[in-house]
Each structure stands twice: as structure tokens, then as C-alpha cells.
Amino acid sequence: MNILVLGNSFDAHALHMRDALTKAGTAVNYLDTRLFPTQIQISWQPDIQAGCLVLPGGHQLNLQDIKSVFWRNFSAPYIPNLPEGQQTIAFSDATSVLRTLLQAKPVRWVNSWQAYQFHKEKPLQLSQVKLLGVEIPATLISNNPQQVIEFCKIQPKTIFKPVYGGTHTQFVSDFHLEPHRLNLVLRLSPVTFQEYIPGTNIRSYVIGEDIYAAEIRSNSLDFREDEKAQLIPVELPDLVQQQCLAISKALMLEWTAIDWRLKPTGEYVFLEANPSPMFLHFEQQTKFPITQSLVNLLLVN
């Protein structure tokens, strides 16, 4: 049986997982979707539910021989320059085949196409988590300047970030709320505004039924900007561990990193669940066996 790593050898996490799985005694290959259709061939027969991959170098894999797939990153297919109409058709056809591959064959995806699509809808993700009874920050997603101003007025401090992601969190200032500037920005894109939660950053990794958590000590508003952030292993309360498992299930995640804010009062506030988080630095600093848990998840029958 084979395991695929959806990604490429330039990604340290993909390379690490390939090496860990190889050490565990299983055959591992990269599925770098940028190489389809120029260097990768995909065949699929829906009437008999069978297909195969031919990877760069000519190595062929029957889809029924693939046990599981570790999703590190997914890239759009690369289509060489063609006349505009042909380019659009070729790209759409290649994308359709890739999406079929990601959904049609019932192998174990860690994580699935559906989970990744859900992650793109972060406002919906927050709503789903709130329905579980988990506390989330007061949040406004809007491109309505008046509603943004009113929301920010009732919060002691407010942060803002893109709805989809892609850049770091910032505090809202009078500069950001200047009417002319605010109107210009919100005509281009809606923005996520949230109450600032004072307290401590907590990151919890959920891998199947395994949960590993650490406090992230940092003076930065967004700890991802702080290379000197300290990671201190912590034991989550039973209720929060149950919430971690419930969130993973509700968001269709086989594994995830959930970011929390721990208030001085001891309450945990959900911020986000990531479907393909970086983990090597976290594992090195905390000594948690994240890699082994991932290997176990991918090899389980």
C-alpha cells in the first residue's frame, strides 16, 4: 500500500512527513498538483470506480493501492500558454479532474477536500463552532462603514484581519476609522472585526483522538510575527479537550491546530482551526509526538 503526500519536496513539512512515513516502512510519493497535466497523468473510470496516477518518472499507482493522503498543500494545475479560449477550457478540465481525484476515491484524506472548502468560509466556521456552545469573540464581518464604527465603539479594543486570511492581525485605530479611508477600504473588500480578548495564546493540536496543547508566550498581538515566542506545554481542562474533539468533528478535520485565547478569568475563547498547520517548531520545542501521531493516523486500518 502507498501513501501520498499532497505537496512537494520544497516544503519542509511535506519532506518531514515523507521521511517519517518511509521510516515507518510504507511507500510514499509526492502528488504535486502543479505538475498536472504536463508531468502527471490521471485516469479515472467512474463506471467501475477505478483509476490510476502516473507520476513524474513514469511510476504508476493504481488508486485502489493508495491507503491515505496527507494534505500539506494544493496548487492549481499548470497549463502552458494557449490562446485565451483554449487556456480557459484546458485549465477548467484539469481542475475538474483534480477535484474528482480529491473526492471520488474513498481513501483516507488528512484532511479532506470538504474540510478545506469549509475552512475557506471562516465566518461560517465561527458560526458552526458557536453552535457547539463554544465561546467565540464578538465578531462583525462587514463592508458597511456605519456598522463597523458602531461595533468598534462598544468594544474596549478591537482587532481586524482579512475574512479569508493571508495577513496578520492588527489593532483598529482612529486612523483606520477615519471616514474617507474606511469607506475606500470597505468598497474594495469586507473585513473581519473582533473584540480584543486579553489573556494568553493557547494552541492545541488535535490528531484523531490525541490532543497536545501549549501556551504561546509572546508580546506580539499576532504570535506568528514573533520568532522568540516561548512554547510552554499545558494540560487543557476536560471540557476544552471535549470541545477540541467536537470542533474537529464539526469542521470535518482529521487533524488540526486550534488557536484559543485564555482569559485571565480562566475561560477559553475559540479563534480559529487550521486544516494544514505548521508543526515542526512546535514539536521541537514541546517534545510532543505530533509526527508519530500523524503517522499513526495515516497508517490506521
mmCIF file of all heavy atoms in Angstrom, residues 135 195-202 215 260-269:
data_model
loop_
_atom_site.group_PDB
_atom_site.id
_atom_site.type_symbol
_atom_site.label_atom_id
_atom_site.label_comp_id
_atom_site.label_asym_id
_atom_site.label_seq_id
_atom_site.Cartn_x
_atom_site.Cartn_y
_atom_site.Cartn_z
ATOM 1 N N GLU A 135 -17.308 29.341 23.273
ATOM 2 C CA GLU A 135 -17.257 30.800 23.255
ATOM 3 C C GLU A 135 -16.363 31.287 22.113
ATOM 4 O O GLU A 135 -15.265 30.778 21.897
ATOM 5 C CB GLU A 135 -16.727 31.343 24.581
ATOM 6 C CG GLU A 135 -16.766 32.869 24.665
ATOM 7 C CD GLU A 135 -16.340 33.424 26.014
ATOM 8 O OE1 GLU A 135 -16.100 32.613 26.933
ATOM 9 O OE2 GLU A 135 -16.235 34.662 26.136
ATOM 10 N N GLU A 195 -13.699 41.739 18.893
ATOM 11 C CA GLU A 195 -13.248 42.265 20.173
ATOM 12 C C GLU A 195 -11.875 41.688 20.498
ATOM 13 O O GLU A 195 -11.582 40.522 20.193
ATOM 14 C CB GLU A 195 -14.227 41.901 21.283
ATOM 15 C CG GLU A 195 -14.317 40.410 21.573
ATOM 16 C CD GLU A 195 -15.099 40.070 22.823
ATOM 17 O OE1 GLU A 195 -14.910 40.754 23.850
ATOM 18 O OE2 GLU A 195 -15.890 39.112 22.771
ATOM 19 N N TYR A 196 -11.017 42.497 21.077
ATOM 20 C CA TYR A 196 -9.724 42.007 21.539
ATOM 21 C C TYR A 196 -9.924 41.278 22.860
ATOM 22 O O TYR A 196 -10.525 41.805 23.792
ATOM 23 C CB TYR A 196 -8.745 43.164 21.719
ATOM 24 C CG TYR A 196 -7.473 42.760 22.417
ATOM 25 C CD1 TYR A 196 -6.539 41.944 21.782
ATOM 26 C CD2 TYR A 196 -7.206 43.182 23.717
ATOM 27 C CE1 TYR A 196 -5.370 41.557 22.416
ATOM 28 C CE2 TYR A 196 -6.045 42.806 24.366
ATOM 29 C CZ TYR A 196 -5.132 41.994 23.715
ATOM 30 O OH TYR A 196 -3.988 41.620 24.358
ATOM 31 N N ILE A 197 -9.434 40.042 22.919
ATOM 32 C CA ILE A 197 -9.566 39.231 24.126
ATOM 33 C C ILE A 197 -8.249 39.292 24.902
ATOM 34 O O ILE A 197 -7.237 38.738 24.452
ATOM 35 C CB ILE A 197 -9.881 37.754 23.787
ATOM 36 C CG1 ILE A 197 -11.101 37.651 22.851
ATOM 37 C CG2 ILE A 197 -10.088 36.953 25.061
ATOM 38 C CD1 ILE A 197 -12.400 38.049 23.479
ATOM 39 N N PRO A 198 -8.217 39.973 26.052
ATOM 40 C CA PRO A 198 -6.987 39.974 26.838
ATOM 41 C C PRO A 198 -6.720 38.581 27.408
ATOM 42 O O PRO A 198 -7.661 37.838 27.704
ATOM 43 C CB PRO A 198 -7.275 40.980 27.955
ATOM 44 C CG PRO A 198 -8.764 41.004 28.068
ATOM 45 C CD PRO A 198 -9.303 40.730 26.695
ATOM 46 N N GLY A 199 -5.455 38.223 27.515
ATOM 47 C CA GLY A 199 -5.127 36.910 28.068
ATOM 48 C C GLY A 199 -3.955 36.272 27.363
ATOM 49 O O GLY A 199 -3.060 36.948 26.855
ATOM 50 N N THR A 200 -3.987 34.942 27.286
ATOM 51 C CA THR A 200 -2.857 34.139 26.821
ATOM 52 C C THR A 200 -3.227 33.363 25.574
ATOM 53 O O THR A 200 -4.353 32.861 25.458
ATOM 54 C CB THR A 200 -2.443 33.145 27.927
ATOM 55 O OG1 THR A 200 -2.163 33.868 29.120
ATOM 56 C CG2 THR A 200 -1.225 32.341 27.519
ATOM 57 N N ASN A 201 -2.284 33.260 24.628
ATOM 58 C CA ASN A 201 -2.482 32.419 23.447
ATOM 59 C C ASN A 201 -2.248 30.955 23.791
ATOM 60 O O ASN A 201 -1.236 30.607 24.399
ATOM 61 C CB ASN A 201 -1.502 32.820 22.338
ATOM 62 C CG ASN A 201 -1.782 34.190 21.776
ATOM 63 O OD1 ASN A 201 -2.910 34.476 21.390
ATOM 64 N ND2 ASN A 201 -0.770 35.037 21.731
ATOM 65 N N ILE A 202 -3.184 30.109 23.377
ATOM 66 C CA ILE A 202 -3.055 28.659 23.536
ATOM 67 C C ILE A 202 -3.263 28.019 22.175
ATOM 68 O O ILE A 202 -4.230 28.345 21.474
ATOM 69 C CB ILE A 202 -4.098 28.076 24.522
ATOM 70 C CG1 ILE A 202 -4.000 28.735 25.896
ATOM 71 C CG2 ILE A 202 -3.949 26.554 24.618
ATOM 72 C CD1 ILE A 202 -2.779 28.361 26.704
ATOM 73 N N GLU A 215 0.937 26.809 25.817
ATOM 74 C CA GLU A 215 0.801 28.261 25.919
ATOM 75 C C GLU A 215 1.877 28.892 25.048
ATOM 76 O O GLU A 215 3.018 28.434 25.020
ATOM 77 C CB GLU A 215 0.972 28.699 27.374
ATOM 78 C CG GLU A 215 1.007 30.206 27.565
ATOM 79 C CD GLU A 215 1.362 30.601 28.992
ATOM 80 O OE1 GLU A 215 1.186 29.764 29.910
ATOM 81 O OE2 GLU A 215 1.824 31.740 29.184
ATOM 82 N N TRP A 260 -6.659 29.292 20.608
ATOM 83 C CA TRP A 260 -7.542 29.783 21.655
ATOM 84 C C TRP A 260 -6.934 31.031 22.285
ATOM 85 O O TRP A 260 -5.728 31.258 22.207
ATOM 86 C CB TRP A 260 -7.713 28.750 22.778
ATOM 87 C CG TRP A 260 -8.192 27.398 22.378
ATOM 88 C CD1 TRP A 260 -7.427 26.351 21.938
ATOM 89 C CD2 TRP A 260 -9.540 26.922 22.403
ATOM 90 N NE1 TRP A 260 -8.218 25.253 21.686
ATOM 91 C CE2 TRP A 260 -9.522 25.567 21.968
ATOM 92 C CE3 TRP A 260 -10.766 27.496 22.754
ATOM 93 C CZ2 TRP A 260 -10.672 24.794 21.876
ATOM 94 C CZ3 TRP A 260 -11.910 26.726 22.660
ATOM 95 C CH2 TRP A 260 -11.861 25.397 22.231
ATOM 96 N N ARG A 261 -7.787 31.779 22.955
ATOM 97 C CA ARG A 261 -7.335 32.849 23.842
ATOM 98 C C ARG A 261 -7.847 32.504 25.229
ATOM 99 O O ARG A 261 -9.069 32.303 25.420
ATOM 100 C CB ARG A 261 -7.909 34.181 23.383
ATOM 101 C CG ARG A 261 -7.241 35.389 24.013
ATOM 102 C CD ARG A 261 -5.901 35.698 23.416
ATOM 103 N NE ARG A 261 -5.459 37.020 23.867
ATOM 104 C CZ ARG A 261 -4.217 37.428 23.866
ATOM 105 N NH1 ARG A 261 -3.256 36.617 23.443
ATOM 106 N NH2 ARG A 261 -3.900 38.640 24.264
ATOM 107 N N LEU A 262 -6.931 32.378 26.193
ATOM 108 C CA LEU A 262 -7.293 32.060 27.578
ATOM 109 C C LEU A 262 -7.399 33.356 28.371
ATOM 110 O O LEU A 262 -6.408 34.060 28.583
ATOM 111 C CB LEU A 262 -6.238 31.132 28.191
ATOM 112 C CG LEU A 262 -6.387 30.801 29.670
ATOM 113 C CD1 LEU A 262 -7.731 30.147 29.967
ATOM 114 C CD2 LEU A 262 -5.235 29.919 30.137
ATOM 115 N N LYS A 263 -8.614 33.672 28.790
ATOM 116 C CA LYS A 263 -8.846 34.893 29.559
ATOM 117 C C LYS A 263 -8.238 34.787 30.960
ATOM 118 O O LYS A 263 -8.079 33.675 31.487
ATOM 119 C CB LYS A 263 -10.350 35.143 29.694
ATOM 120 C CG LYS A 263 -11.066 35.511 28.413
ATOM 121 C CD LYS A 263 -12.540 35.761 28.729
ATOM 122 C CE LYS A 263 -13.325 36.237 27.540
ATOM 123 N NZ LYS A 263 -14.749 36.467 27.879
ATOM 124 N N PRO A 264 -7.948 35.906 31.600
ATOM 125 C CA PRO A 264 -7.484 35.871 32.995
ATOM 126 C C PRO A 264 -8.495 35.195 33.927
ATOM 127 O O PRO A 264 -8.125 34.678 34.978
ATOM 128 C CB PRO A 264 -7.317 37.359 33.339
ATOM 129 C CG PRO A 264 -7.079 38.028 32.023
ATOM 130 C CD PRO A 264 -7.911 37.265 31.032
ATOM 131 N N THR A 265 -9.772 35.164 33.516
ATOM 132 C CA THR A 265 -10.815 34.518 34.320
ATOM 133 C C THR A 265 -10.822 32.990 34.167
ATOM 134 O O THR A 265 -11.573 32.307 34.841
ATOM 135 C CB THR A 265 -12.196 35.053 33.905
ATOM 136 O OG1 THR A 265 -12.362 34.849 32.492
ATOM 137 C CG2 THR A 265 -12.316 36.541 34.227
ATOM 138 N N GLY A 266 -9.997 32.464 33.239
ATOM 139 C CA GLY A 266 -9.920 31.024 33.034
ATOM 140 C C GLY A 266 -10.793 30.501 31.909
ATOM 141 O O GLY A 266 -10.806 29.296 31.649
ATOM 142 N N GLU A 267 -11.499 31.382 31.202
ATOM 143 C CA GLU A 267 -12.350 30.962 30.084
ATOM 144 C C GLU A 267 -11.524 30.862 28.803
ATOM 145 O O GLU A 267 -10.679 31.721 28.535
ATOM 146 C CB GLU A 267 -13.490 31.957 29.879
ATOM 147 C CG GLU A 267 -14.419 32.095 31.070
ATOM 148 C CD GLU A 267 -15.321 33.303 30.921
ATOM 149 O OE1 GLU A 267 -14.861 34.427 31.173
ATOM 150 O OE2 GLU A 267 -16.486 33.106 30.538
ATOM 151 N N TYR A 268 -11.828 29.836 27.998
ATOM 152 C CA TYR A 268 -11.163 29.638 26.711
ATOM 153 C C TYR A 268 -12.070 30.172 25.601
ATOM 154 O O TYR A 268 -13.257 29.817 25.532
ATOM 155 C CB TYR A 268 -10.884 28.159 26.474
ATOM 156 C CG TYR A 268 -9.677 27.623 27.226
ATOM 157 C CD1 TYR A 268 -9.738 27.397 28.598
ATOM 158 C CD2 TYR A 268 -8.492 27.347 26.555
ATOM 159 C CE1 TYR A 268 -8.642 26.906 29.286
ATOM 160 C CE2 TYR A 268 -7.387 26.846 27.231
ATOM 161 C CZ TYR A 268 -7.471 26.631 28.601
ATOM 162 O OH TYR A 268 -6.378 26.141 29.274
ATOM 163 N N VAL A 269 -11.496 31.000 24.718
ATOM 164 C CA VAL A 269 -12.235 31.588 23.603
ATOM 165 C C VAL A 269 -11.626 31.073 22.299
ATOM 166 O O VAL A 269 -10.423 31.224 22.060
ATOM 167 C CB VAL A 269 -12.185 33.125 23.643
ATOM 168 C CG1 VAL A 269 -12.993 33.716 22.486
ATOM 169 C CG2 VAL A 269 -12.708 33.645 24.984
#
